[in-house]
């Protein structure tokens, strides 16, 4: 008895178990007696050291042909000398073994003889489960139609033409004399020529049944080549043992296969090359069943990621394709090597650079995680934000491995774009001197055209035209951070569409600073809701401008002067009528109500205004001239409230979806009484925080805190700790 021990290799046993390092595999007379961890063995074993190598069970190819052909031309298949094809077929069998195939399911003229010689020890080769020549109809897949019929009879490498049930029975009996392991039939075509269409049925149910019945009497399986549905269904009905290819199997056929225990051998890897050689003609009755045009993909790129550490590391493929998905890159085709050390995929060439950068960033091949920022608006908020980024950037790179790369800056007239990043020390001069003429639509086109990974569009404007860009940008996988309230307070349908787009694209749509500047109001509400709480009521002072005004008016400072002071301090909008009319508060309340889960529109909010409508008519100049007329009335009300120990607060309320805003007098016992300067405050009543509402209080206006809130939203996209 010949006994061999293979020691020291990495063992993959084929069971799904973890690989065994420093393994031992014992064979006795070429049969495996043991496979597992190393152990003591007897002196009668011949020891083979395979340290540094991998040992595993042989691979199985359930469908191949030792055809012996040197070309893919169906005429050459027949015209090549039979002896030559046999010699080549022997070499093909040897190459299978050398490449790890230890068992094959084989259909060819030479296969049975090769099997016999391997089993007799005359030649080296895999175990062969052989059919010999398969059976096809005249004008079928095994009929090389350009040549005389008798040429096929004598030399076709893998098919014999047989027609009709009784001739098929006779052909099976003749084949049995060669001692095959199975009988192969072509129940459908293969796609070589006019009468050989892949989906066309070539053998009737009666013919297939005759073959199956004949084989059943001697206990030999039937393999059916069935690319089209009709041939597959009749093969299943007849009770074949195996269906090969099966591109058009449906539930009816699969149910029959399951009931009868019929095996399925799908084959896909050869189709691309096959169709290059034998392009299928257009067949209306077949192709017109399926809508859409068939097109040849052009301008593609193939990317491969390769690494030893990919092996046996769970989630690598998921991480890769998740990264590509978040970058908005569709994978056209993909493949993973059996060694688990490489994954290849095909994408549009225009996404190549973006894909490489995304992968490098995701797999920590880059020194830093990069966010590429487009900043719209360089006024008070945008300017403060850029300065904060400039100051904080070195620390973020050093401590958090995060690089904030500002690749675009724009104002209402110009845009400065640079893929490598803009120097924030002199961006205003660069924008003025080198910026190109731009408008919101042009800016959006350029951002999409740049196609940069990990892109974030930061809107520090108040423009509805800029807010209108969000959907297009998000559909191109650009995250949006908005200080601009226009989008979140627009129609409820648009608000939900943007939220759903962000969710669908796996990007972010953040607008924390829409309410309360840098206060964590929206994030807190989202945390409450996501944890299962339900928001019942909101009460808030949401206008830092109005709170500043009502905290500033005094016997010495009239109402109109307080408005001027709010504007000069940067708290009020350029047009303070937006604040005084309550529009800004209404928009904030609508946003909060929506984030609380209520479908509220701005028109649904009840408005209790404290300035007559006439002061909002005409020009801004008219407003400044006429607003002084209200000073006396406000001073009278102020004195009255002072005597009662009360103060004015412009309060926004939401209770179970009902919303209103208006001026309210609060006494010293109310949480809003001591609200100083431009601060904001919000009381959140929930099912959990009911008796004692949650209160969030702090700076609610100012360019620096608003910019800081925008900055925080940007950082949250990077997901750093």
């Amino acid at each position: 008895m010949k006994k061999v021990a293979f020691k020291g290799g990495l063992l993959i046993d084929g069971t799904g178990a973890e690989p065994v390092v420093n393994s031992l595999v014992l064979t006795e007379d070429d049969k495996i007696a043991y496979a597992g961890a190393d152990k003591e063995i007897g002196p009668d074993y011949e020891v083979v050291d395979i340290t540094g190598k991998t040992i595993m069970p042989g691979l199985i190819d359930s469908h191949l042909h030792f055809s012996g052909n040197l070309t893919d031309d169906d005429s050459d298949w027949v015209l090549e000398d039979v002896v030559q094809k046999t010699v080549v077929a022997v070499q093909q069998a040897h190459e299978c073994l050398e490449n790890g195939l230890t068992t094959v399911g084989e259909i060819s003229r030479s296969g049975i003889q090769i099997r016999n010689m391997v089993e007799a020890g005359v030649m080296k080769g895999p175990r062969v489960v052989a059919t010999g020549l398969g059976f096809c109809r005249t004008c079928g897949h095994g009929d090389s139609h350009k040549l005389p019929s008798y040429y096929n009879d004598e030399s076709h490498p893998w098919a014999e033409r047989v027609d009709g049930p009784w001739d098929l029975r006779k052909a099976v009996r003749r084949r049995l004399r060669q001692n095959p392991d199975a009988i192969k039939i072509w129940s459908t075509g293969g796609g070589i020529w006019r009468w050989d269409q892949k989906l066309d049925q070539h053998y009737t149910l009666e013919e297939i049944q005759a073959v199956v019945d004949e084989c059943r009497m001697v206990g030999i399986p039937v393999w059916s080549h069935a690319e089209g549905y009709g041939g597959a269904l009749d093969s299943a009905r007849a009770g074949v043992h195996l269906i090969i290819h099966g591109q058009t199997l449906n539930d009816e056929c699969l149910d029959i296969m399951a009931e009868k225990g019929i095996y399925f051998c799908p084959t896909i890897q050869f189709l691309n090359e096959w169709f290059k050689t034998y392009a299928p003609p257009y067949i209306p009755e077949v192709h017109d069943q399926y809508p859409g045009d068939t097109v040849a993909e052009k301008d593609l790129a193939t990317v491969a990621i390769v690494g030893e550490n990919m092996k046996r590391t769970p989630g690598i493929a998921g991480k890769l394709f998740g990264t590509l998905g978040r970058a908005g890159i569709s994978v056209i085709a993909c493949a993973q090597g059996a060694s688990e050390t490489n994954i290849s995929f095909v994408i549009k060439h225009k996404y190549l650079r973006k894909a490489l950068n995304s992968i490098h960033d995701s797999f920590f091949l880059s020194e830093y995680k990069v966010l590429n920022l487009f900043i719209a608006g360089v006024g008070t908020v945008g300017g403060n934000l850029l300065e904060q980024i400039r100051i904080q950037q070195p620390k973020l790179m050093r401590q958090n491995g995060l690089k904030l790369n500002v690749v675009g800056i724009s104002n209402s007239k110009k845009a400065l774009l640079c893929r490598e990043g803009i120097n924030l020390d002199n961006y205003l001069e660069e924008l003025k001197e080198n910026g190109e003429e731009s408008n919101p639509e042009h800016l959006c086109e350029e951002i999409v055209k740049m196609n940069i990974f990990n892109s974030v569009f930061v809107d520090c404007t108040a423009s509805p035209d800029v807010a209108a860009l969000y959907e297009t940008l998000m559909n191109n996988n650009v995250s949006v951070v908005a200080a601009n309230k226009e989008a979140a307070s627009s129609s409820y349908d648009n608000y939900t569409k943007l939220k759903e787009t962000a969710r669908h694209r796996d990007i972010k749509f953040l607008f924390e600073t829409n309410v309360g500047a840098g206060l964590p109001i929206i994030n807190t509400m989202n945390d409450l809701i996501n944890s299962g709480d339900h928001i019942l009521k909101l009460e808030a002072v949401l206008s830092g401008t109005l709170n500043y005004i009502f905290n500033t008016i005094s016997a010495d400072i009239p109402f109109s002067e307080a408005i001027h002071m709010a504007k000069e301090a940067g708290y009020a909008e350029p047009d303070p009528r937006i604040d005084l009319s309550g529009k800004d508060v209404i928009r904030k309340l609508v946003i909060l109500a929506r984030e609380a889960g209520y479908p509220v529109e701005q028109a649904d909010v009840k408005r209790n205004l404290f300035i007559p409508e006439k002061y909002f008519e005409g020009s801004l100049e008219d407003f400044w001239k006429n607003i002084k007329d209200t000073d006396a009335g406000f001073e009278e009300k102020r004195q009255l409230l002072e005597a009662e120990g009360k103060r004015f607060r412009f309060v926004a309320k939401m209770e179970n979806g009902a919303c209103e805003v208006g001026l309210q007098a609060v006494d010293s016992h109310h949480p809003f009484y001591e609200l100083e300067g431009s601060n904001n405050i919000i009381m959140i009543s929930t099912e959990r925080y009911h008796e004692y509402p949650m209160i969030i209080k702090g700076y609610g206006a100012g360019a620096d805190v608003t910019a800081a809130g925008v900055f925080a939203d940007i950082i949250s996209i990077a997901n750093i700790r």
Side-chain angles (χ1 to χ4, degrees):
M1 179 183 290
K2 184 180 179 182
K3 303 171 75 173
V4 181
F6 298 90
K7 293 176 65 73
L10 179 71
L11 170 64
I12 301 173
D13 66 9
T15 66
E18 286 295 312
V20 179
V21 180
N22 193 27
S23 68
L24 174 67
V25 177
L26 304 178
T27 65
E28 299 177 0
D29 287 341
D30 296 330
K31 294 187 181 294
I32 298 173
Y34 172 81
D38 194 16
K39 65 179 185 178
E40 292 292 327
I41 59 174
D44 53 339
Y45 280 94
E46 176 191 345
V47 178
V48 179
D49 186 359
I50 58 171
T51 302
K53 298 180 179 179
T54 299
I55 187 167
M56 60 183 289
L59 301 175
I60 299 172
D61 191 330
S62 56
H63 178 199
L64 56 71
H65 304 272
F66 294 149
S67 61
N69 298 117
L70 299 177
T71 77
D72 284 330
D73 185 274
D74 68 316
S75 294
D76 290 344
W77 295 346
V78 176
L79 291 174
E80 289 169 352
D81 186 82
V82 174
V83 176
Q84 173 189 302
K85 287 188 288 213
T86 302
V87 172
V88 175
V90 170
Q91 178 61 23
Q92 290 172 336
H94 186 67
E95 289 175 353
C96 281
L97 187 61
E98 286 185 327
N99 287 279
L101 291 173
T102 58
T103 303
V104 299
E106 201 279 334
I107 308 101
S108 77
R109 183 178 292 275
S110 304
I112 293 175
Q113 289 75 21
I114 290 174
R115 178 204 66 189
N116 294 342
M117 293 302 98
V118 171
E119 291 179 353
V122 174
M123 61 173 284
K124 297 286 186 183
R127 299 180 192 88
V128 181
V129 182
T131 68
L133 295 174
F135 302 132
C136 77
R137 76 170 194 185
T138 302
C139 295
H141 192 44
D143 188 351
S144 295
H145 66 290
K146 297 176 184 177
L147 302 171
S149 294
Y150 62 87
Y151 278 41
N152 288 272
D153 297 338
E154 298 296 326
S155 189
H156 199 282
W158 37 261
E160 176 184 348
R161 292 168 299 140
V162 187
D163 302 298
W166 284 106
D167 281 345
L168 281 164
R169 286 180 178 270
K170 289 184 233 181
V172 170
R173 294 173 186 181
R174 288 194 302 271
R175 184 72 67 244
L176 292 177
R177 296 188 80 254
Q178 299 176 5
N179 193 26
D181 299 300
I183 297 294
K184 169 71 179 291
I185 63 171
W186 277 268
S187 61
T188 71
I192 295 179
W193 64 296
R194 181 180 180 186
W195 303 115
D196 180 36
Q197 295 302 319
K198 296 175 67 66
L199 302 183
D200 289 350
Q201 186 167 348
H202 281 188
Y203 276 147
T204 65
L205 175 60
E206 185 182 14
E207 289 173 308
I208 300 169
Q209 193 71 62
V211 174
V212 172
D213 290 347
E214 196 66 34
C215 291
R216 189 174 288 139
M217 288 191 291
V218 293
I220 190 170
V222 179
W223 299 355
S224 175
H225 166 115
E227 300 194 46
Y229 166 71
L233 183 59
D234 279 350
S235 294
R237 287 168 173 167
V240 302
H241 181 76
L242 175 68
I243 289 177
I244 301 171
H245 302 309
Q247 288 97 309
T248 58
L249 299 181
N250 64 5
D251 287 344
E252 181 184 6
C253 188
L254 291 168
D255 287 343
I256 297 172
M257 291 170 65
E259 179 186 347
K260 296 186 176 183
I262 297 170
Y263 293 91
F264 177 40
C265 174
T267 314
I268 56 175
Q269 86 280 357
F270 79 98
L271 294 179
N272 184 53
E273 292 301 318
W274 184 268
F275 289 148
K276 285 181 182 177
T277 306
Y278 303 104
Y282 170 63
I283 310 171
E285 59 270 21
V286 174
H287 298 125
D288 288 353
Q289 297 179 44
Y290 306 97
D293 297 326
T294 299
V295 298
E297 293 274 5
K298 298 180 179 179
D299 299 321
L300 304 178
T302 302
V303 181
I305 63 170
V306 182
E308 185 66 26
N309 287 338
M310 293 170 61
K311 189 185 296 182
R312 297 179 301 279
T313 302
I316 287 292
K319 185 176 182 179
L320 168 65
F321 295 120
T323 297
L324 296 172
R326 286 189 295 275
I329 301 170
S330 295
V331 175
I332 298 169
C334 64
Q336 181 170 15
S339 65
E340 296 187 69
T341 59
N342 68 90
I343 301 174
S344 304
F345 57 93
V346 179
I347 58 174
K348 288 285 189 182
H349 188 272
K350 66 179 181 180
Y351 295 127
L352 179 58
R353 182 172 183 173
K354 187 177 185 180
L356 294 176
N357 287 336
S358 299
I359 294 168
H360 274 257
D361 186 66
S362 179
F363 284 84
F364 305 103
L365 300 174
S366 299
E367 186 178 359
Y368 303 107
K369 179 180 179 65
V370 179
L371 285 187
N372 292 295
L373 308 180
F374 297 90
I375 313 291
V378 291
T380 53
V381 175
N384 268 274
L385 172 63
L386 286 163
E387 179 63 12
Q388 290 177 23
I389 292 173
R390 186 188 70 81
I391 294 171
Q392 189 68 5
Q393 194 171 61
K395 183 179 178 182
L396 289 171
M397 293 171 69
R398 184 176 62 255
Q399 294 188 359
N400 303 101
L402 173 65
K403 181 180 180 181
L404 299 179
N405 191 35
V406 179
V407 295
I409 297 174
S410 69
N411 57 24
S412 59
K413 297 180 179 179
K414 287 189 172 185
L416 181 65
L417 301 167
C418 179
R419 182 180 290 272
E420 286 70 36
I422 298 168
N423 186 349
L424 299 186
D425 291 331
N426 59 348
Y427 70 89
L428 285 174
E429 292 82 357
E430 281 287 313
L431 178 63
K432 183 179 179 180
E433 294 175 8
N434 300 319
E436 56 185 277
E437 297 295 322
S438 183
N439 55 45
E441 291 73 21
H442 173 263
L443 177 63
C444 183
E445 290 173 4
E446 290 301 311
I447 293 172
V448 173
K449 191 186 300 180
M450 288 177 73
N451 198 29
I452 300 179
F453 81 111
N454 285 357
S455 296
V456 183
F457 180 75
V458 185
D459 184 5
C460 297
T461 75
S463 167
D465 294 332
V466 175
L469 308 177
Y470 295 176
E471 185 178 359
T472 301
L473 292 170
M474 292 163 72
N475 277 318
N476 283 277
N477 285 75
V478 179
S479 293
V480 173
V481 173
N484 188 346
K485 293 183 272 293
E486 290 288 341
S489 65
S490 62
S491 71
Y492 185 75
D493 286 345
N494 186 59
Y495 161 84
T496 54
K497 183 189 292 183
L498 293 176
K499 298 272 284 191
E500 185 58 35
T501 301
R503 200 159 33 245
H504 176 69
R505 292 286 181 175
D506 196 19
I507 56 173
K508 300 294 185 182
F509 174 40
L510 304 177
F511 43 89
E512 180 66 80
T513 57
N514 281 192
V515 181
L519 295 178
I521 297 173
I522 293 176
N523 282 335
T524 301
M525 290 173 57
N526 287 335
D527 288 342
L528 290 170
I529 293 169
N530 293 335
S531 65
D533 207 348
H534 182 64
I535 295 175
L536 305 173
K537 183 178 180 181
L538 300 172
E539 292 182 86
V541 174
L542 297 174
S543 173
T545 305
L546 293 179
N547 199 54
Y548 176 87
I549 291 171
F550 289 120
N551 279 332
T552 301
I553 57 175
S554 65
D556 301 319
I557 303 175
F559 180 62
S560 61
E561 181 60 26
I563 299 173
H564 269 291
M565 291 172 67
K567 183 176 180 300
E568 292 300 317
Y571 298 137
E573 298 284 346
D575 186 347
R577 291 177 294 181
I578 296 174
D579 298 296
L580 295 168
S581 66
K583 289 181 180 179
D584 189 57
V585 175
I586 289 169
R587 289 189 296 183
K588 291 177 180 179
L589 181 60
V590 165
I591 293 169
L592 289 178
R594 290 172 175 178
E595 291 295 292
Y598 300 96
V600 176
E601 302 281 3
Q602 290 191 42
D604 300 330
V605 181
K606 184 180 178 181
R607 314 169 188 220
N608 302 307
L609 302 183
F610 58 92
I611 296 178
E613 285 284 354
K614 67 180 183 179
Y615 290 97
F616 301 104
E617 299 171 356
S619 66
L620 182 59
E621 186 179 347
D622 293 335
F623 167 79
W624 285 118
K625 183 172 64 177
N626 298 328
I627 193 64
K628 295 178 181 179
D629 298 341
T630 64
D631 288 348
F634 269 101
E635 175 59 19
E636 184 179 341
K637 293 176 183 176
R638 187 198 66 79
Q639 291 179 10
L640 182 62
L641 286 179
E642 188 176 44
E644 296 176 352
K646 296 180 179 179
R647 292 174 179 174
F648 273 135
R649 296 289 180 256
F650 193 80
V651 179
K653 295 181 181 179
M654 189 282 297
E655 188 166 7
N656 296 321
C659 300
E660 66 174 309
V661 299
L663 199 60
Q664 181 178 324
V666 298
D667 60 25
S668 60
H669 301 290
H670 198 284
F672 294 176
Y673 182 82
E674 295 291 347
L675 196 62
E676 299 176 351
S678 62
N679 287 359
N680 282 187
I681 188 171
I682 182 169
M683 293 196 302
I684 306 173
S685 300
T686 74
E687 291 177 347
R688 296 172 186 164
Y689 294 86
H690 186 63
E691 186 175 355
Y692 299 100
M694 179 183 291
I695 296 177
I696 302 173
K697 176 181 177 182
Y699 288 123
D704 53 348
V705 293
T706 302
V710 173
F711 201 169
D713 274 351
I714 294 170
I715 295 297
S716 72
I717 294 176
N719 196 28
I720 62 172
R721 292 285 186 266

